[in-house]
Amino acid sequence: MASANKVGARNRPLSPHLQIWRWGPAMLVSILHRVTGGGLSVVGLGVLLWWLGALAGGPASYATFAGVMGAWYGQIVLVGLTWAFFQHLCSGLRHFVLDMGAGYELEANARWSVLTIVISVVLTAGVWACILVR
Amino acid sequence: MGNGTSIGQVRGLGSAHSGSGNWLQERFTGIASLIVSLYLLFSLLMLPSFNFLTVKAWISHTVPATAMILFVVANFWHARSGMLVVIEDYVHEHGTKFAVVTALNLIAFAGAAFGVLSIVRLALGA
């Protein structure tokens, strides 16, 4: 019975995936939430552990870390992580509102979806302006 | 409970009583991460520079060290909860899923332990 059902289940229609739907703000922010979460989990936590380990290791290991993060490719990674952090934070807050059952009206939903991206870009620019003007 | 479609096989069995556990953990650790991240962001941005001695002196203080330990624990827990959902969405074969979830748990606990130990060493004067 189980195996017969498994074969049957394989042929059953699946929910259409990313490539089927017309892209909209809510869909973009939804997949961005997952992509930024994955990026922060793998790259973000990796850089965090390297930073803490290099600090605990002493001046030489910290210099290695600072050298890589100060180079152009390190700066790209750090700016990318800053944006991913703020984007995940903003769309995470949006999820708390949606969890409460609010914000599903089409216009409000699209507006707050776009605003999470605008706010994350502005906050990223603000943080790096603070770092660079120091 | 019938033996037809997959939903028919489980209809009437009632709740699994564990479905909301990981979902709630994502929310709780998300709130924790939000609070402690904002503190660390402002605290770090107020440092005059990010050179070794400045950052080491900063993280050796009790409050920043406590916040950084909470940051590591909350974010590894949050990452584990979130990645678990992603794995459950995309990895369907039982054996592969077991292996990937095992790896996720090992990496999450090992990473958090390494981060916490590094901070404790700094706070106690490495």
Side-chain angles (χ1 to χ4, degrees):
Chain A
M1 177 202 103
S3 62
N5 269 331
K6 216 174 175 185
V7 172
R10 229 176 264 144
N11 295 326
R12 292 175 69 79
L14 294 168
S15 172
H17 222 283
L18 284 182
Q19 64 274 21
I20 294 291
W21 304 101
R22 186 165 57 83
W23 284 75
M27 179 184 176
L28 174 67
V29 167
S30 173
I31 197 65
L32 273 182
H33 192 69
R34 182 157 279 198
V35 170
T36 52
L40 288 166
S41 298
V42 178
V43 183
L45 291 178
V47 171
L48 174 71
L49 286 189
W50 188 13
W51 180 57
L52 291 173
L55 262 178
S61 58
Y62 194 77
T64 308
F65 173 83
V68 172
M69 288 306 155
W72 63 270
Y73 46 87
Q75 297 281 289
I76 290 176
V77 170
L78 289 182
V79 171
L81 285 173
T82 310
W83 172 75
F85 170 79
F86 283 124
Q87 178 59 40
H88 198 80
L89 191 159
C90 291
S91 54
L93 288 173
R94 177 175 168 268
H95 272 287
F96 278 119
V97 176
L98 296 175
D99 287 346
M100 289 182 245
Y104 284 95
E105 301 79 8
L106 288 180
E107 199 189 318
N109 196 295
R111 182 167 64 244
W112 281 104
S113 300
V114 172
L115 273 176
T116 62
I117 299 172
V118 173
I119 293 168
S120 71
V121 171
V122 168
L123 288 175
T124 305
V127 164
W128 280 89
C130 285
I131 293 170
L132 294 173
V133 300
R134 215 168 26 183
Chain B
M1 178 185 161
N3 55 7
T5 60
S6 44
I7 192 171
Q9 289 171 35
V10 295
R11 192 170 271 153
L13 292 179
S15 164
H17 296 294
S18 61
S20 59
N22 190 58
W23 189 90
L24 280 170
Q25 281 178 25
E26 265 185 307
R27 268 72 188 165
F28 293 142
T29 53
I31 295 167
S33 176
L34 174 68
I35 296 167
V36 81
S37 297
L38 291 178
Y39 163 75
L40 287 172
L41 181 68
F42 283 109
S43 189
L44 274 168
L45 284 178
M46 285 197 294
L47 290 179
S49 91
F50 293 137
N51 67 36
F52 177 73
L53 289 176
T54 311
V55 178
K56 187 175 185 258
W58 169 76
I59 207 171
S60 301
H61 288 110
T62 309
V63 174
T66 305
M68 193 58 83
I69 287 176
L70 292 174
F71 182 76
V72 167
V73 172
N75 279 313
F76 269 98
W77 193 338
H78 190 70
R80 185 205 161 271
S81 295
M83 293 302 279
L84 184 63
V85 176
V86 175
I87 290 166
E88 286 169 349
D89 277 355
Y90 301 132
V91 184
H92 297 303
E93 204 275 311
H94 289 302
T96 315
K97 188 160 103 179
F98 182 85
V100 177
V101 172
T102 303
L104 172 70
N105 283 315
L106 291 177
I107 293 167
F109 275 83
F114 179 85
V116 170
L117 180 72
S118 298
I119 301 160
V120 169
R121 278 190 70 193
L122 287 158
L124 301 183

